[in-house]
Amino acid sequence: MKVTTILLAAGQGTRMKSSLPKVLHPVAGQPMVFHALKAAAGVSGEKPALVVGHGAEAVRERVGDQARYILQERQLGTGHAVMQAETLLAGKTDLLVVAYADMPLLRGETLRRLVETQQANPGPLSLLTVIAGDPRGFGRILRRPDGTVAAIIEEAQATAEQRAISELNVGAYCFSAAWLWEALSRLAVSPKGEYYLTDTVALAVAAGLPVQAILLDDALEAIGVNTRIHLAEADQAMRARINQSHMLAGVTLVDPRAAYIDAGVTIGPDTVIWPNTYLHGGTAIGRGCELGPDTLVRDSKVGDNCRVLKSVLEGAWVEERVEIGPFARLRKGAHLCAGVHMGNFGEVKESTLGPGVKMGHFSYIGDATIGAETNIGAGAITCNFDGKQKHATTIGTDVFIGSDTMLVAPVQVGDRSRTGAGAVVNKDIPPDTLAVGVPARAIRKLDQGDKHE
Ligand code: UD1
Ligand code: CA
């Protein structure tokens, strides 16, 4: 049976008090709607149909070709939103899964269970329910003695007795498509002037057709985001879920409540994450690493057996056995090869530090290439910006850059050369040469006897 998903995301999200469309607010680092799209992918290979309205342009731009778009120009209710998809989908699918895009915790597996329930249901629809102490404005579920659903009562229409019902409508349904299109055309407008998708239940029941409901095992899946309080709840629940999956895969989180790991981040086994560590965006961490405390890594790749303490890495590529920090900053295009040591108060941007490079203290390296085993003395700096343009610095292998050397780019330092403390290098230094002073001058050739350890 062919299954297609429709995700509703046209509502304004007024209670978020935001200029950003609700479904673009991030949960565990990704727009809420991305989580809904991922769940949808768990149930159908067909590209989901996303109903957009408020902030449609912004949503389209962010979601791109992950969805097909249906515009609901006026938000006349959840039933009306689904009606807009008829032109695109009528006759194209057997089953329709409809879910609200503001439920980021809902799992693909759960939607799959919902589809299976509907496949076994002689009636036209099945839906998800949850039992919760706090009804949060959700529709109440009335069951019949045989367990099928008798009705969904929206809170505004519920009697005091009905309000006390703790089984709630989650907002995810699986319909027989042909039945749904016909039923939607018969929906009556609610006292609030809206067409409720939930009223399709009454239409099925009136026709004597069974409506099935399955109860969520994990009530957190039903968190729907209407306010920023719900957003924080959803974010926390999603992060807890992510952290558990990393722990089960062999990652140690010293304090799981203080590790902030975005959806999509990968971490190898035997890595230890100390508290107050943030792993954001498209970050990949190898095995056997130790990160934190107090570390932020965004859109970076870190190889196996690295150590990063109290540091910030953004857009960086760090190979294996690298030690960073405390108090180091890697910016976009920083590439630290295997075995690099980068100590405290260093900054690296758009530069490659070759294997085994040591940069212990107080250095800025920008737009530079540094060969293997070179030592960057304390306080050495690439002066890469002349006020107008950025220039490159190239340092060879096995070089010794003395403390407080200023490398005035564009400039090159040859293999095995050395600079004296405080040198201001504004001309290229050939290989095997000692240069000192301001401006730096070559004072002699170096030989094997000068080799630093
Ligand atoms: C809805 C359900 C309620 C359920 C609750 C769970 C209805 C009538 N009620 O109520 O039974 O317990 O969700 O969270 O369906 N949307 C549109 N176009 C519209 C209206 C809404 O796309 O015209 C979208 C919204 O963007 C949102 C979703 O549909 O993603 C749900 O709408 P919302 O107004 O939040 O419904 P609830 O009142 O929460
Ligand atoms: Ca809602």
Side-chain angles (χ1 to χ4, degrees):
M1 262 200 229
K2 190 161 165 191
V3 181
T4 304
T5 52
I6 301 179
L7 298 172
L8 305 191
Q12 184 168 10
T14 326
R15 286 170 286 170
M16 294 294 284
K17 309 258 167 75
S18 178
S19 56
L20 187 69
K22 178 164 83 174
V23 295
L24 294 186
H25 280 263
V27 168
Q30 290 183 354
M32 230 184 279
V33 62
F34 282 29
H35 298 286
L37 289 164
K38 188 167 169 235
V43 82
S44 166
E46 292 285 301
K47 208 175 259 196
L50 188 62
V51 180
V52 292
H54 273 281
E57 270 320 299
V59 174
R60 257 179 225 254
E61 201 181 303
R62 192 70 178 83
V63 174
D65 67 359
Q66 298 179 78
R68 294 179 277 176
Y69 299 91
I70 289 152
L71 186 65
Q72 185 193 23
E73 286 185 33
R74 294 173 61 212
Q75 283 68 56
L76 299 178
T78 49
H80 180 260
V82 176
M83 270 179 231
Q84 310 310 305
E86 187 174 356
T87 323
L88 181 73
L89 298 177
K92 303 269 171 61
T93 186
D94 303 303
L95 295 179
L96 272 170
V97 170
V98 180
Y100 304 153
D102 61 358
M103 298 189 301
L105 275 296
L106 194 63
R107 290 183 164 98
E109 294 133 67
T110 306
L111 290 180
R112 251 191 326 267
R113 227 169 26 104
L114 179 63
V115 169
E116 283 159 17
T117 302
Q118 178 53 26
Q119 279 168 337
N121 181 13
L125 81 128
S126 300
L127 51 90
L128 286 181
T129 68
V130 64
I131 293 195
D134 173 7
R136 295 164 62 131
F138 280 28
R140 309 300 201 273
I141 300 289
L142 269 57
R143 296 251 196 182
R144 308 204 314 194
D146 68 355
T148 60
V149 177
I152 301 178
I153 315 286
E154 290 304 313
E155 186 165 273
Q157 275 86 54
T159 63
E161 203 176 313
Q162 288 166 337
R163 280 173 190 238
I165 294 171
S166 61
E167 185 172 14
L168 312 172
N169 176 35
V170 168
Y173 319 81
C174 183
F175 293 95
S176 144
W179 182 85
L180 178 64
W181 304 128
E182 192 277 325
L184 289 174
S185 71
R186 288 189 286 130
L187 278 187
V189 69
S190 80
K192 270 177 73 188
E194 292 191 1
Y195 296 91
Y196 291 159
L197 184 62
T198 44
D199 285 347
T200 56
V201 170
L203 295 177
V205 170
L209 303 169
V211 175
Q212 296 293 348
I214 50 172
L215 189 60
L216 284 180
D217 299 325
D218 175 4
L220 292 176
E221 281 192 68
I223 293 180
V225 176
N226 294 325
T227 67
R228 297 202 197 223
I229 294 174
H230 302 151
L231 181 68
E233 282 171 14
D235 193 60
Q236 214 164 62
M238 182 63 87
R239 290 187 186 285
R241 189 190 278 179
I242 289 168
N243 288 358
Q244 277 161 18
S245 75
H246 286 300
M247 289 188 280
L248 290 173
V251 178
T252 294
L253 302 183
V254 174
D255 180 355
R257 288 160 308 173
Y260 305 86
I261 304 172
D262 283 357
V265 168
T266 62
I267 310 175
D270 287 322
T271 283
V272 177
I273 313 273
W274 290 91
N276 202 28
T277 291
Y278 302 77
L279 304 181
H280 289 326
T283 288
I285 308 289
R287 52 172 65 219
C289 294
E290 208 170 326
L291 305 182
D294 305 326
T295 288
L296 186 149
V297 184
R298 185 193 307 282
D299 298 326
S300 296
K301 188 169 184 291
V302 176
D304 297 342
N305 303 307
C306 290
R307 172 93 184 86
V308 184
L309 171 62
K310 291 188 188 261
S311 292
V312 175
L313 281 59
E314 290 176 287
W317 171 24
V318 174
E319 299 195 47
E320 63 275 9
R321 287 175 285 102
V322 170
E323 285 171 26
I324 297 170
F327 315 116
R329 178 163 187 222
L330 267 57
R331 292 164 53 203
K332 191 167 143 297
H335 174 196
L336 274 48
C337 297
V340 165
H341 167 78
M342 179 177 172
N344 41 267
F345 303 107
E347 175 178 339
V348 175
K349 183 219 78 174
E350 292 290 1
S351 295
T352 296
L353 274 54
V357 165
K358 292 187 177 49
M359 171 181 153
H361 335 263
F362 308 101
S363 282
Y364 169 60
I365 300 294
D367 306 302
T369 307
I370 301 178
E373 302 300 333
T374 283
N375 188 92
I376 307 290
I381 278 171
T382 54
C383 310
N384 61 328
F385 185 51
D386 60 13
K388 294 197 184 79
Q389 266 184 295
K390 300 281 171 63
H391 300 283
T393 299
T394 306
I395 300 175
T397 60
D398 233 351
V399 170
F400 185 92
I401 300 291
S403 294
D404 223 11
T405 296
M406 301 292 121
L407 297 148
V408 183
V411 75
Q412 300 194 14
V413 180
D415 294 345
R416 296 170 302 279
S417 287
R418 309 182 64 150
T419 67
V424 174
V425 181
N426 58 4
K427 283 211 278 303
D428 292 354
I429 301 175
D432 301 296
T433 302
L434 173 63
V436 300
V438 181
R441 273 160 310 162
I443 54 166
R444 67 180 172 88
K445 274 304 215 194
L446 295 166
D447 58 29
Q448 208 49 41
D450 292 301
K451 180 126 178 66
H452 58 271
E453 83 268 19

